[in-house]
Amino acid sequence: MNLGAKVTQKQLMELLLNVAIIRPVFIWRAPGIGKSSLVEEFARQVGLPCVSLLGSQLAPEDIMGVPQIIEGKTKFYPPNLIAKDEPYCLFLDELNACSHEVQKSFYSLIHDRRVGEYVLPKGSIVIGAGNRSQDSAIVKTMSSALINRMFHVQLHVSNKDWMEWATGFGIHPFVIEYLQIRPDQLWTEPPKHEEPFSTPRSWHMLSDALYEYGEDNLTNEIIGILAAGCVSPQHASQFQTFHKQIHTKYHLNKILNGDMKFPHEPENRDVLYFLAQSFRAQIIKELPNEKDAVNPSQRQFAHLAKSLIKDLASISHEMAQLVVPSSEKEKGLPDWFMTEIIRDLPRLAERKDKKDA
């Protein structure tokens, strides 16, 4: 299914403010990227209370209500959660996880804002959300009649938007600093097997756990346990190494500034691994995909990066390969930069040898 245009968190808020007030909106998204908090924030901005219903836990009578015979006639009375006197924002979470019978009970509610004889107060807003079929989540095919009653949009994670929110919300400094170094780890596709995976929600959980333990109790071992319970196993291992690296003299910024070298001691191999991965993420962040878009400062960074890759290779060829991986699963460095690495590394090595002589 074509799920609609992709939007960031900020773009979604603007879209809801302009579209949701006149038409129901359905937000497609992967698990854990903060759709509930965004809808609640939207409701707060428009001054409405927010009522959430979880589609996967609903039966048709939870929407239509139960029948009662009044003066010889049957009437349906919807539950108090829906039948309110004042306008409100109705959030139908996991709407595409409910049965087709429940989906049918939503038809008039979504299209006409009506349940039986009850009509939502004027000014009420209806918003739906659900996971995608590729997310290994519980989803059912949404009926064409239901699809056609809503405006569809696909929410995707914006590192910049989330970091702005995290800083203002008070997410733990360890999490913020780590994701500034590794923004590529904020969110990953849900795995096909059962294990924790990284999402904005899981990093938020890790932040809460770090605060609860308190700084004095956060040993590196505890850091590893907490991270492994929240985020992807590889990210958890690197987060633990990041914490260890905080208490050592080795920092990527100092290496980039020329104030220190990559560690070469065997006991710091895990720190070297983390620094190599962070260095690669920094190259991807700093350098554009197209060579014509490179500005003077980026050109200077590219020269520095090539020199540092050579230094890293002299310590560990394996670690240098982490910076320039050939795996199709990894996001590659810009093609023009890879071409320069192949062309210039022998010359850089020769220049370094002459300098050392």
Side-chain angles (χ1 to χ4, degrees):
M1 176 182 173
N2 186 346
L3 301 179
K6 291 184 178 180
V7 298
T8 66
Q9 294 96 311
K10 282 187 176 180
Q11 289 172 328
L12 176 63
M13 293 300 292
E14 184 177 353
L15 186 144
L16 291 177
L17 287 168
N18 287 277
V19 177
I21 58 175
I22 56 173
R23 292 290 180 181
V25 173
F26 190 89
I27 306 166
W28 297 88
R29 83 291 183 263
I33 62 176
K35 91 289 180 186
S36 299
S37 57
L38 286 170
V39 173
E40 289 170 1
E41 173 61 18
F42 161 74
R44 188 191 64 79
Q45 289 189 17
V46 296
L48 295 177
C50 185
V51 174
S52 296
L53 298 180
L54 203 58
S56 58
Q57 299 179 5
L58 293 176
E61 56 268 23
D62 294 327
I63 307 302
M64 300 300 298
V66 295
Q68 292 187 20
I69 299 177
I70 306 295
E71 297 180 354
K73 296 180 180 179
T74 300
K75 288 188 177 183
F76 283 83
Y77 288 86
N80 288 335
L81 198 62
I82 294 177
K84 295 184 175 297
D85 297 327
E86 300 295 328
Y88 67 101
C89 176
L90 178 59
F91 179 42
L92 307 174
D93 197 8
E94 297 184 9
L95 178 56
N96 59 336
C98 60
S99 68
H100 287 165
E101 289 301 315
V102 175
Q103 288 187 27
K104 286 193 293 184
S105 68
F106 279 122
Y107 286 178
S108 61
L109 175 62
I110 290 175
H111 189 260
D112 300 320
R113 303 179 189 235
R114 174 192 296 273
V115 179
E117 297 182 7
Y118 170 75
V119 178
L120 268 66
K122 185 176 181 180
S124 295
I125 293 172
V126 179
I127 299 173
N131 298 126
R132 308 164 304 178
S133 59
Q134 66 263 39
D135 293 325
S136 300
I138 299 174
V139 296
K140 292 181 172 63
T141 303
M142 190 181 294
S143 71
S144 58
L146 192 55
I147 289 174
N148 197 237
R149 281 167 161 80
M150 292 178 289
F151 177 94
H152 296 267
V153 67
Q154 186 173 182
L155 176 63
H156 104 135
V157 178
S158 164
N159 294 327
K160 181 180 178 182
D161 287 358
W162 190 85
M163 290 300 291
E164 288 181 4
W165 170 84
T167 302
F169 189 81
I171 293 297
H172 198 281
F174 285 173
V175 173
I176 291 178
E177 186 177 349
Y178 179 77
L179 291 175
Q180 285 174 335
I181 299 172
R182 297 304 308 268
D184 55 309
Q185 295 187 3
L186 175 60
W187 179 82
T188 58
E189 290 281 354
K192 300 303 181 183
H193 46 278
E194 296 173 332
E195 67 178 28
F197 61 101
S198 300
T199 66
R201 177 167 58 199
S202 61
W203 287 110
H204 192 174
M205 288 193 299
L206 177 56
S207 170
D208 289 344
L210 293 171
Y211 275 127
E212 286 301 314
Y213 258 81
E215 186 175 350
D216 294 339
N217 299 317
L218 287 175
T219 64
N220 193 248
E221 181 183 7
I222 291 297
I223 288 285
I225 293 172
L226 297 181
C230 298
V231 300
S232 303
Q234 182 184 11
H235 298 172
S237 176
Q238 293 184 27
F239 185 82
Q240 184 180 17
T241 305
F242 158 77
H243 177 261
K244 176 182 176 181
Q245 176 256 168
I246 290 175
H247 300 287
T248 70
K249 64 180 180 179
Y250 297 105
H251 297 274
L252 182 61
N253 286 340
K254 292 183 179 180
I255 294 173
L256 293 174
N257 292 333
D259 297 330
M260 64 172 50
K261 301 290 187 180
F262 284 111
H264 61 275
E265 302 88 353
E267 63 269 22
N268 284 321
R269 184 172 177 81
D270 55 346
V271 175
L272 180 62
Y273 177 86
F274 172 74
L275 291 170
Q277 291 277 29
S278 301
F279 178 39
R280 177 179 174 274
Q282 189 70 17
I283 294 174
I284 293 174
K285 178 181 177 182
E286 293 289 339
L287 299 182
N289 289 326
E290 301 298 329
K291 188 174 183 179
D292 293 342
V294 178
N295 60 39
S297 64
Q298 290 168 334
R299 168 53 60 190
Q300 184 178 1
F301 178 81
H303 287 309
L304 171 64
K306 286 182 285 186
S307 179
L308 289 176
I309 291 172
K310 177 62 177 67
D311 291 342
L312 189 58
S314 67
I315 299 171
S316 169
H317 190 262
E318 177 188 357
M319 294 297 176
Q321 287 182 322
L322 290 175
V323 180
V324 286
S326 57
S327 171
E328 293 182 358
K329 295 181 180 179
E330 299 275 2
K331 180 178 180 181
L333 304 182
D335 290 340
W336 64 267
F337 182 66
M338 289 295 297
T339 301
E340 291 190 6
I341 290 176
I342 297 171
R343 183 193 68 199
D344 292 349
L345 277 182
R347 178 162 53 84
L348 288 171
E350 181 183 357
R351 182 182 303 167
K352 185 177 186 298
D353 292 341
K354 289 181 178 179
K355 182 178 179 180
D356 290 342

